[in-house]
Amino acid sequence: MTTRHTYDQELENLRQDILRMGSLVQMAIHDAVQSLAKQDVELAQKVIDGDDVIDKLEIDIEDTCMLLIAKQQPLARDLRIIATGLKITTDMERVGDHAFDIAKIAQKTAKQPLIKPLIDIPRMAAMAQKMLQDSLEAYVNLDIALAEQVCRADDAVDDLYNQVFRELLTYMMEDPHTITQATQLMFVTRYLERVADHTTNIAEWIIYLVTGQRLRKK
Amino acid sequence: MTTRHTYDQELENLRQDILRMGSLVQMAIHDAVQSLAKQDVELAQKVIDGDDVIDKLEIDIEDTCMLLIAKQQPLARDLRIIATGLKITTDMERVGDHAFDIAKIAQKTAKQPLIKPLIDIPRMAAMAQKMLQDSLEAYVNLDIALAEQVCRADDAVDDLYNQVFRELLTYMMEDPHTITQATQLMFVTRYLERVADHTTNIAEWIIYLVTGQRLRKK
Amino acid sequence: MIGRKTADRLATGIFYAIGVTVVVGLVLFVGYLVYHGWSELNLHFLLSGPRFTKAGGGIGPQLFDSIYLLVLAMIITIPVGLSAGVYMAEYARPGKLTDTLRLCIETLASLPSIIIGLFGLIIFVNLTGWGYTLFGGALAVAVLNLPVATRISEDAIRNVPQTIREASYGLGATQWQTITRAVLPAALPGLLTGFIITAGRVFGEAAALLYTAGMSTPILDYSNLNPFSGASPLNPFRPGATLAVYIWKVNSEGLVPDARAIADGASAVLVLAILVFNLGSRYLGIRLNNRLTGRQ
Amino acid sequence: MDKYLQTRRLSWRYIKKELLGRSVVTACGLFIIILTLFLVFFIASQGIDLFKDNHVSLSHFLFSTSWHPDRDQAPQVGALIFIVGSIVISLLALALSTPFSVGLAIFMTEISPGLGKKVLQPAIEIFVGIPSVVYGWVGLSLLVPFIRTHIGGMGFSVLAGGLVLALMIFPTITSISADTLRSLPHHYKEASLALGATRWQTIRRILLPSATPGILTGVVLGLARAFGEALAVQMVIGNTIKIPGSLLQPTTNLTSIMTMDMGNTVMGTMWNNALWSMALLLFIISFSFILLIRKLGAIGAMTK
Amino acid sequence: GCGGGGTQKANEGQKTQISGNITASGSTALQPLAEKAAQQFGQKNPNAKVIVQGGGSGTGLTQVAQGAVQIGDSDIFAEEKSGINAGELVDHKVCVVGFATVVNKKVTIDNLTHQQLLDIFTGKITNWKEVGGPDLKITIVNRPASSGTRATFKKYALKGAEEATGIGLQSDASGTVLKTVAETDGAVSYLALSYVNDSVKALKLDGVEPTVANITSGKYPIWSYEHMYTKGQPTGLTKDFLDYMGSDDVKPLIKQLGYIPNSDMKVSRTATSN
Amino acid sequence: MDYKIEVNKLKLYYGDVLALKKITINIVKNSVLALIGPSGCGKSTFLKTINRMNDLIETVKIEGEILLDGMNVYHPNVDVVMLRKRVGMVFQRPNPFPMSIYDNIAYGPRIHGQSNKGKLDEIVEKSLRGAALWDEVKERLTSSAMGLSGGQQQRLCIARLLAVEPEVLLMDEPCSALDPISTMKIEELVTELKDKYTIVMVTHNMQQAARVSDFTGFFLNGEMVEYDKTDAIFTRPQDNRTEDYITGRFG
Amino acid sequence: MDYKIEVNKLKLYYGDVLALKKITINIVKNSVLALIGPSGCGKSTFLKTINRMNDLIETVKIEGEILLDGMNVYHPNVDVVMLRKRVGMVFQRPNPFPMSIYDNIAYGPRIHGQSNKGKLDEIVEKSLRGAALWDEVKERLTSSAMGLSGGQQQRLCIARLLAVEPEVLLMDEPCSALDPISTMKIEELVTELKDKYTIVMVTHNMQQAARVSDFTGFFLNGEMVEYDKTDAIFTRPQDNRTEDYITGRFG
Ligand SMILES: Nc1ncnc2c1ncn2[C@@H]1O[C@H](COP(=O)(O)OP(=O)(O)OP(=O)(O)O)[C@@H](O)[C@H]1O
Ligand SMILES: Nc1ncnc2c1ncn2[C@@H]1O[C@H](COP(=O)(O)OP(=O)(O)OP(=O)(O)O)[C@@H](O)[C@H]1O
Ligand SMILES: [Mg+2]
Ligand SMILES: [Mg+2]
Ligand SMILES: O=P([O-])([O-])[O-]
C-alpha cells in the first residue's frame, strides 16, 4: 500500500499518456505506409492531420514531467520514469514526424502509378512497427528481455534498408523515369530505418527505466 | 549573492557541457560537409570517430541532469535549465548522427569525382551551422531574439533543400550515371535539412528556457 | 596537579559520599520519628481526646481540627488563588498593574508565617472580636497560602500550551469559554498536584495558627453537626488546635506526663500525613495526566 | 449571507459570561494587591510606632544590644542581639546545608539520575513538606541532648539552631538546585562529553556555571526561609538574650523574641511596638531577598 | 461577629439552661486549674463550652481588654501590667498559687537564702559550689520578661532587682521550663507549684519550704493571686462560669492541683502592696 | 471566477511596524491557495487577519478591507466569534485538547450551543470521516486525543474544525511538525477538502505548495510579490525575487 | 580504498531490545557517509556507538567491533575521553554553551590542557575559519554564543569540534532545526570539510543526503538494508525497501 495516492495517480497518468502517444505514433507509421502502398491520399491526409495531436501530446507529456519534478522531488524509479518520459517522447515525436513525411510522399506518389508493387517497404514498415509495438509492451511490462530483443531487431531493419536502397538504385539506373518516385521511396525506406533507430532508442530507455543502467550507444 | 554555491557550480558545469556538446556537433557538421566537398576521407573518418565522444557526452549530460533533479529539487529556471538540457541533447546528438551519416557518405563519394563542384550543399551546411552557432550563442546569452531568428532561418534552409533536391533530380534524370552519387547527395541535403530542424527545436527549447513558454510546433 | 581522570574519580567519589550521607540521614530522620511515634500509632491515640494532667490522652480533636481547618482554608484559598492565577495567566497584560501584582504575590509569599500569625491575631482575633477561631486561623493560613496557590495556578495555567487557546479561539469560543472549557481542564493535573502540596503546608502550619486559631480544642460533641452550635465540631467560630500547634503546646505547656510520647506520636502522624499528601498528589497527578494524554 | 456575520444583537448571556468571569478573576487579582498593601501598611504602621510614639532612635534599635523593655524607667529596646542571632543562625544553616544541597543536587541529576528521580526527589519533596514544629521537636528531643552530652554546652545553642534550620532549608535548596540542573538543556552535557571532557569537567565547567543563578536563587530562598522560621529555632536555641560567644552558646533571634513576647505584651506599649518593629525589619529583610531573587532570575534568564 | 455575639444571644434565649461558648486565656500558671475546671463545668452543662487557652498573663490581660476573650487569666494585677487600662477590667481572684525555685536534681543543696537567690539571678554567683553545692555551673532558665510567673518571681523573690541579661536560657512556657531544668545539669528556675513534680527539686527559701501551709500563713512570700479578669461586670455564661469557679465544686480541684483556695489564705495583698 | 475572499489594499501594523503592505488578492472559492515566503515575511500574519486571530494582539492596527462573501470582516458590527466559526484555522503544531477524541470534536458544537447527544454523535462521526480519520479512531473515541500520532492529531484538529462547519480553512504550516508519511496524508486530505472548502495554506515546502495548491502567493517583507496559478509560479515565475526564493537563492 | 572506520557485525541492545542488527560497513577516509532511514530505525544509535556516547545509557550492550584506524574502540583499554576527542559529534539542535563565542571554541582545548592564550587565540581563529564562521563573528568573539542565529550556532558547534582536532565528525541531523539558507550553508561546509575529515551524517532529507554525501547507508529496523555510492542509491537503489523509502512509499 502506498501513501502517495495523488503522486501515483499522476505517474500512472503519465504512463498512460506515453503509451497513448506510442500507439498513436505506431498507428501513424502503419497508416502512412498503407497510404503509400495503396496510394490512398485520404489516409495520408489523416496521418498528416494526426501529427498535430502527437506533437501536442508530446508537449503535454513534457509539461507533466516538468510539473512532477517540480512537485514530487522524484527519486530512484520515479525519477527514471519521468526522465524516460521526457526522453522517449522526443523519439516518438520523431517517429511521428517520419510518418508525416511518409504520408507527404504518399500524397506525391499517388499521382502516378507505382513503379512496382510495394513489397519490401511494407515489410520494413511492419518490422519497424513490430519493434515499436514490442517496445511499448516492454514499457508496459517493464520487460527488459523484450526491450533487448527490440534493440537486436534493428539490425534486420538495417539489412532490409540496404537491400531496398540498392534495389531502388537499380530501378533508377534502369529507367530514369522512375527516378522521381524512386528517390521518394528511397526516403521512405530511410525514414523507416530511422523509425527503427528511434525505437531502439526507446527500448534502450526502457532498459534504463528498469535497471537504472544506461546502455552505451553502439 | 547566492547561497547555493555547489548547486550553481553544478548548473554551470551542465551548461558548459551542453555548450561543449553543441560546439562538438557544430564542428562535426562542418567537418563532415568539408570532407564531402573536399573528398577528404581522413576528415570524414575523424568525424565518424568523433561521434562516440558526442554520444558519451550526451549520456554524461543526461546523468548530470538526473542527479541534479535527484539532489536539488530544481524549480523554475533551474528546472527549465535541466529539462532543456535533457531535451536538447537529444537534438544535438541527432545532429551529431547526421554529421556521422554525412561523413559516411563523404567516404563513399570520395571514390569517384564529384558530379559537380559542391556549392549549394556547403551553403546549406553553412546555413545550418550558422543556425547551430546562433542557437548556442542564444543559449549562452539567453537571447530570445536570436533564438527566434534561428527558428525563422529554418525556412531558408528548407527552400534551399527543395532547390538542391530538384537540381539533383535533374542531374540524375540527365545522366543516370550520377544516380548513385546524386542520391547520396540528396541524403546529405536531407540530413542538413534535418540538422536545421533539430536546431530549430533547440532554439525553441532555448525560448522555453528563458520565458517558460512552450512554442506550439508549426 | 592531579590528572583530570583522577579528579573525575575523586569528584564522583565525593558525590557518592554526599548522596549516601544524605540518604542515610533522611532515612534516620524519618526512622527516628516513626520509630518513636510508632507505639502511639493506634486507634485510641488517633481518636480519643487529650487529657490535661494524666497520661494516655489522644489527638482525636486535633486531628479533626487539622483536617477541618485544612478544608476551611482550602475553601478560601482555592477559589481566590485560582481566580488570581487565571487573571495572571490569562488576562493580565504586561504593565505596571501586573508587575505590581506579581511583586505583591512574591512579597506575600516571602512573609514569615509568624508575621502573618501576628497580623491575624490583631485583625482576625482582636479587631473582629471573634477571638480565637478556626475560621480566623483558616483566614491567616489562607493569606499565607494565597500567593502559593496563585503561583501554582498561574504556572499550571501558563503551562497549558498556547496552541490550546488558539485552537479554542479558532473554533469561535469566547475567552471565558476558552479558559473554563479548554484551559482549566488541561491545567487540571498541575492544579491538583499543586493544591495538594499547598494543603500539606496548611496541615503542618503552626506559627500562623498559634495566634489565630488558638492552642486548644474545646471538648466537642461529635454528634452535634449543626455548624452554628457552639459545641459542634463543625462550628468554624470556635478555637481549635491543629496537630502541629498541639505538638508545640504539649511541649511548652503540657502537664501531661507523657508529653514526649504524645509529641512523638503526633509528629509521626504529621509526617505520615505529609507523606500521604505527597504520594497522593503524585499519584493523582500522574493518573490524571495519563488520562488526559492517553497514556496507560 | 449577511446574517452570519452580523452582530448577534448582543446576547446578554454571552456578555455576562464573558464580563462576569473576567471581573471576578480581575477582582481576585486586585484583592491580592490590596491584601498585600494592607499587610505591608499594617506592619509598617505598627513597626514605625516605636520610632514615632516612643521616640526610640533607629540607630538605638538597630545597633544597641541593650534589651530592657520591662524596665519601668528608661526601658531600652536595642534589637542588635536578635538581629545578630538571626543572621548568625541563618548563615550557619546556609553554610551547613549549601554544600550538601548542591552536592546532592548534582548527585541526583548527574551521577545517579535513576536514584535521583525515583528515591531522592520524592524524599526531598516530602522533606520540604514536613512541618517546622516537627523539625523543632526532633531538634529539641534529639539534637539538643546530643549536643549537650557529646559536644558540650547546654545543648541549646547556635549550633542546634543552625543544624535544625540547615535540615529545614536543605530540601529547599536541593530541590531548586536540582530543578535548575535538570532544566539545563541536556545538550550542554552531551556537547561537553562529545568534546572529550570528563564528567567532573563537564559538571564544573559547564553545568555548575550555567546553573549558578538558579542555585543562588535556591540559596536565597533557603536563607529567607531560615530568617523567617520561628518555632523550630525557638525550640532549640535557648533564647538567651546575648550575642553568642561560640557555636555552643545559646542565643536568641528576631522570630523567637516575637513568638515569646508578642502575645504577652499590650498593644501600644513600647515593648509591643519594639516587637512590631522587629516584624517590620523581618519584612524588609525578606523583601530584599525577593528583590535579590528577581535579580538572580533575570541573570538566569539571560544565560538560557 | 459570630462567636461571642451568637453566644450571648443563645444565652438570653434560654435562660433556664446554661449554654454557649466563652474563652478564657492567659496565665500558664493558672491554666491547669482553669482547664480542669472548664472540663468539669462542661460536663455539668453539656451545652456550655468554656475554652481555656494559655499564652501568658500578658496575653490574658491584653485580650480581655480588647474583647478577644471573655476572661483573662493572670498571675499579676492588671494594674501591674503596663499599657492596660485596669479601670475597665473587673478582677475575680480565683485562688492563690505559690511559686518555687526549682533546680536540676544534680544540685545537691536544698535551700537558698534570699541573697543567694538574688546573686544567682543577677549573675553574681555562677557556680553551685559558691553556695555550698557541687562544682557545677549554674544555668539560669528564665521565663520571658513578659510572663506573669517571672514578674511575680522578680517581685517577691528578687525584691524587684533586675536579673542579669545574657545569661541562662529562656523558655516560653512553664512546661518547657520544667523539662529544661530536669534535663540541664545545674539548671535553676522557678515554677508555679502546680507544675512542680519529681523531675526537679524545689528549694527552700531562707529555710522555708514552699508549701501550702507556709504560704497561707505568710511565711513563704513567693505567691500571687490567680486572677480572672472580665471587661466590665460579667454576664451570662461568663458570670455562670466565674460563679462556678468560686463554688465549692472547684475547691477540691484547686487543692488537688496544688493551688490554694482564697478562703484558706491568712494574708492578703493588693495591687499596690508589696 | 467566484471569489470567496477578496482582500483589498490590506495594511497591518504591529505598533509602528508595517507588517503587511497593501495586500490585494482574490481567493477563488473551492480552491487551495498556498502562501510561501521566507520566515518573517508576514504569511502567518496575513492568515490571521482573515479570521481576526490578530485581534488578540493589542498592538495590531489594520487598514484596508477583507471581504468574506462580500462582507467586510473588519466591519464594526461583525461578530468575531461567528467569523472564526466560519473561517477555521489549523496550526503548525497539532493542538488537540487534552480530552477524549470525542470531546475534542464536540468542543466546537458544544460551545456553540449544541448539547443534543444524538446530534453530537452524528457531527463527530461526520467530521472524523471528513478528515479521513474515522476508520482509525472509531474504536477509541473516548480515549485521549493526546495518544494519537502527530499526523492523526493534525487530522483530528482538522476534523474538529469541520465540526463547526466552516467555509474557509486557514492552515499555517500544517505539516511542518509531521513526518513525511503524515504529511502526505494531510496533503491528500487537503486535496479532497477543497471540493467543499476554500483553503488558504502557509507552507515552507515549495514542493508541497506545488503539489496541493491551485494558486500560490509569494510574500516578501510583508508584500505580496507574486500571485499566480501554482503551475506557473513553480515553473515560470515572473518576478526575479520569486524565482530566487523558490530556487533557494536569496538577494 | 582507505577505510577510516570499519564496523564488523555490530549488534546493540537496549536492555533486551536489539536496536542494531549485525551492522557491517566500511567508511572510506575523507568521504561523507549519509545515513538515512525512517524514524526509530537506529541511525542515531549507530552514530553514537562510534564515539561511545551510548556508554552514558546504562542498559546498552554491544557486540561486534568498530575499528577506528584499525583499533577497536570497544577494546577495554580504550580511553573513551580520548576517543571522543578523535571522533567529534554535532547534534540535531545547535548546542552552544552559554558562554562567549571565544570560550565556546576554547572549551575543548582548555579541557585538554591547553591554557596558553596565544595558542588559544590561534586555535579559535583557525576553527572558526574552518567552520566558515570567522568573518561573521570575528568582531564579537566575546559576546555570548546564544545571541547567534541557529545556523551560526550550528557552525559554531562545528568550529568547537574542529578546535579539538578530531578525525571523524559525526552529525546527527545537523540541519533539521535550521532554516533552508542555514541548511545550505552547513551543506556547503560539510562538502568543504570532507577534504580533511571523515564525516558520518544522519539526515531525514533525501535530497540533502544526495547532495552532500559520497556514500549512503539505508537503515530499517536496526538493519543496514543497503549501502552504496550515493548516486547509485538515489537513482537506482537495489533493494525494494530502499526504493520504497526514498520515493516516499512504505510497505
Ligand atoms: N505579535 C507581534 N508583535 C510584533 N511583531 C510581530 C508579531 N508577530 C509577528 N510579528 C512580526 O511580523 C512579521 C511577520 O511575522 P509572521 O509571523 O507573519 O511571519 P511568517 O511569514 O509567518 O514567518 P514564519 O515563516 O517564520 O512563520 C515578522 O517580522 C515578525 O517579527
Ligand atoms: N535510551 C534508549 N533506551 C531504549 N531504547 C532506545 C533508547 N534510545 C533509542 N531507543 C530505541 O532504539 C531505536 C532506535 O532509536 P534511534 O534514536 O537510534 O533512532 P533514529 O533512527 O535515530 O530515529 P530518529 O530519526 O527519530 O532520530 C528506537 O526504537 C528507539 O525507541
Ligand atoms: Mg508563520
Ligand atoms: Mg535520531
Ligand atoms: O504564663 P504566666 O503564668 O507565667 O504568665
Side-chain angles (χ1 to χ4, degrees), chain C residues 270-292:
Chain C
L270 260 185
V271 168
L272 291 177
I274 297 300
L275 210 77
V276 169
F277 275 113
N278 265 280
L279 297 181
S281 81
R282 241 160 214 283
Y283 175 75
L284 270 177
I286 288 170
R287 261 201 58 173
L288 201 61
N289 205 41
N290 286 351
R291 261 247 334 263
L292 292 181

Side-chain angles (χ1 to χ4, degrees), chain D residues 67-68 70-71 137 140 145 148 154 156 234 238-242 250 257 259-261 263-267 269 271, chain E residues 55-59 62 66 81-84 139 144-146 154 162 165-170 172 179-180 183-184:
Chain D
W67 176 254
H68 296 290
D70 50 340
R71 266 187 202 158
W137 170 246
L140 183 63
R148 185 163 51 220
M154 291 169 281
F156 295 98
Q234 193 243 32
N239 302 303
T240 307
I241 303 178
K242 183 186 167 211
I257 193 72
T259 358
M260 286 200 292
D261 281 355
N264 271 329
T265 54
V266 181
M267 283 279 285
T269 57
W271 191 344
Chain E
S57 304
T59 311
T62 311
Q66 281 166 342
K81 183 82 191 170
S82 68
I84 292 286
T139 301
S146 55
K154 181 175 167 186
E162 190 169 289
T165 50
I167 54 168
L169 305 169
Q170 231 183 92
D172 190 29
K179 194 153 74 197
T180 309
E183 288 175 4
T184 312

